[in-house]
């Protein structure tokens, strides 16, 4: 099918919840994708921070093909080797103790919220437990995850949502302290807010929250669905803050292209929260997706991806600083590692910049607050940074 035929049928048959860019992607290789007309694009959005290893990274496809030839799906009623391998990799990398695999980020958040509520319920048997979340956050579109997403526009048509949620101001510790009471069971936040406009947590803020949670036995849930898996230069962004969550949520780059997420619990939560009968999933963590997760961890280590991110992210940051200095339309540059944002002036709508960039052969997306979002594959090199910056220079 050509682009016109594809777009026609998609618009005719698919529920219109996305305004799509006007290209149809056919294939990818490394840092680039090709559309059905044969045109190539440099990819700086990586399937929204999913394709950490880019397209067809050597060894990835082979591992998945081998798993297809064995078994795709078994149900969680049976043991399988990819589960053993992937669970060990995720748990050891996080320094936490037990993992539950899901199909998506939203489901990882749902599971984390349930675990926190159950932990509090086991302590006092009450049903009044509150959760504190952050303004400007994003945790997913399912009802539980949406309930802790601090964005009125996303929430409004769907109220009433899950009860017992209060919102504090991100990077304002006293606003969190003011909401804590004897019913508070959890605090959930992104270590680096993604969708909300690329805002890293301040060190004092996150350390203060950890201390507060320790003092009051409140569950700290860190959502690293977007900022985890090496994106900020460490496997998990929290490693740079000297804190550890009680529950970690991950997804996006966890499987580098297959739909998989996870929530990971420390020993305390694992021992006293979800038990047989409390939680489940038909597909979650099936052999196919976990063969991918296992392979991703192996490839990250073999290629020393974290070391590469450490080196290349400084170069990207420099080039973006330079772009910000040369264009009045760029108001600020923020980020950590290969997760960065350029905040644009109100008279420079980010949608126009991403559309212009597409015309010039660059895939890049926005984030909230008129921000141009940079989440390229972690295998990016200086040459590709230069290419993207040159295109954006023209667009701005
Ligand atoms: C993408 C994202 C989610 C939701 O993940 P889905 O797989 O789309 O459900 C949750 N939290 C954060 C921080 C995200 O970036």
């Amino acid at each position: 099918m050509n682009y016109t035929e594809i777009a026609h049928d998609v618009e005719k048959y698919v529920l219109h919840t996305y305004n799509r860019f006007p290209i149809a992607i056919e294939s990818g290789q490394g840092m680039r994708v090709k559309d059905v007309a044969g045109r190539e694009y440099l990819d700086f959005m990586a399937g929204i921070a999913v394709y950490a290893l880019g397209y067809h990274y050597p060894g990835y496809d082979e591992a998945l093909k081998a798993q297809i030839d064995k078994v795709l799906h078994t149900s969680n009623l049976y043991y399988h080797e990819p589960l053993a391998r992937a669970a060990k990799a995720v748990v050891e990398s996080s320094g936490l103790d037990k993992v539950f695999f899901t199909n998506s980020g939203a489901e990882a958040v749902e599971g984390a919220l349930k675990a926190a509520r159950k932990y509090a319920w086991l302590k006092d048997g009450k049903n009044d437990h509150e959760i504190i979340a952050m303004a400007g956050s994003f945790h997913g579109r399912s009802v539980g995850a949406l309930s802790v997403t601090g964005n009125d526009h996303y929430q409004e048509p769907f109220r009433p949502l899950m009860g017992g949620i209060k919102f504090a101001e991100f990077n304002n510790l006293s606003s969190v302290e003011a909401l804590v009471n004897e019913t508070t069971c959890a605090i959930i936040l992104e270590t680096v807010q993604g969708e909300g406009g690329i805002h890293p947590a301040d060190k004092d803020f996150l350390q203060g929250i950890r201390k507060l949670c320790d003092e009051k036995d409140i569950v700290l849930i860190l959502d690293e669905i977007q900022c985890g898996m090496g994106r900020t230069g460490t496997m998990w962004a929290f490693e740079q803050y000297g804190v550890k969550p009680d529950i970690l949520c991950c997804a996006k780059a966890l499987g580098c292209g297959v739909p998989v997420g996870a929530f990971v619990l420390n020993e305390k939560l694992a021992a006293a929260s979800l038990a047989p009968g409390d939680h489940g999933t038909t597909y979650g963590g099936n052999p196919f997706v976990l063969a991918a997760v296992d392979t991703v961890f192996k490839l990250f280590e073999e290629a020393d991806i974290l070391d590469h991110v450490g080196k290349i992210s400084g170069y990207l940051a420099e080039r973006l600083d330079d772009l910000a200095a040369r264009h009045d339309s760029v108001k600020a540059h923020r980020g950590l590692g290969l997760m960065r944002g350029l905040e644009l002036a109100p008279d420079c709508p980010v949608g126009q910049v991403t559309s212009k960039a597409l015309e010039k052969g660059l895939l890049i997306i926005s984030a909230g607050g008129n921000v141009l979002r940079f989440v390229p594959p972690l295998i990016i090199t200086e040459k590709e940074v230069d290419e993207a910056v040159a295109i954006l220079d023209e667009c701005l």
Side-chain angles (χ1 to χ4, degrees), residues 104-106 138-140 190 223 225-226 252:
S104 66
F138 182 82
H139 297 291
E190 297 154 90
D223 178 345
I225 288 168
Q226 189 163 157
K252 289 199 163 84

Side-chain angles (χ1 to χ4, degrees), residues 93-113:
S93 85
S94 64
L96 299 169
D97 290 285
K98 295 277 199 290
V99 61
F100 182 102
F101 287 107
T102 66
N103 306 289
S104 66
E107 284 168 273
V109 171
E110 296 287 336
L113 298 177

Side-chain angles (χ1 to χ4, degrees), residues 57-69:
Y57 192 86
Y60 180 86
D61 294 11
E62 292 81 353
L64 266 66
K65 285 172 182 170
Q67 189 59 46
I68 289 173
D69 287 338

Side-chain angles (χ1 to χ4, degrees), residues 285-325:
N286 81 10
F288 181 67
V289 300
L290 294 190
V293 172
D294 174 37
T295 304
V296 165
F297 276 90
K298 222 179 290 170
L299 296 174
F300 262 57
E301 199 168 306
E302 278 172 23
D304 207 346
I305 292 288
L306 296 179
D307 182 64
H308 177 69
V309 174
K311 288 176 184 150
I312 192 69
S313 59
Y315 186 70
L316 176 63
E318 257 173 50
R319 298 301 318 267
L320 295 185
D321 276 342
D322 181 45
L323 214 48

Side-chain angles (χ1 to χ4, degrees), residues 106-172:
E107 284 168 273
V109 171
E110 296 287 336
L113 298 177
K114 279 179 72 176
R117 281 257 167 99
K118 175 87 188 280
Y119 177 76
W121 179 81
L122 284 172
K123 279 195 293 182
D124 65 13
K126 292 189 179 157
N127 292 115
D128 60 353
H129 298 118
E130 293 183 350
I131 295 166
I132 298 173
M134 301 298 145
S137 63
F138 182 82
H139 297 291
R141 305 297 195 142
S142 56
V143 172
L146 180 59
S147 301
V148 290
T149 289
N151 182 322
D152 262 335
H153 175 73
Y154 289 167
Q155 286 197 347
E156 177 58 30
F158 307 106
R159 292 184 177 134
L161 292 164
M162 182 176 150
I165 313 291
K166 287 175 169 170
F167 287 96
E169 205 183 307
F170 191 65
N171 281 335
N172 178 343

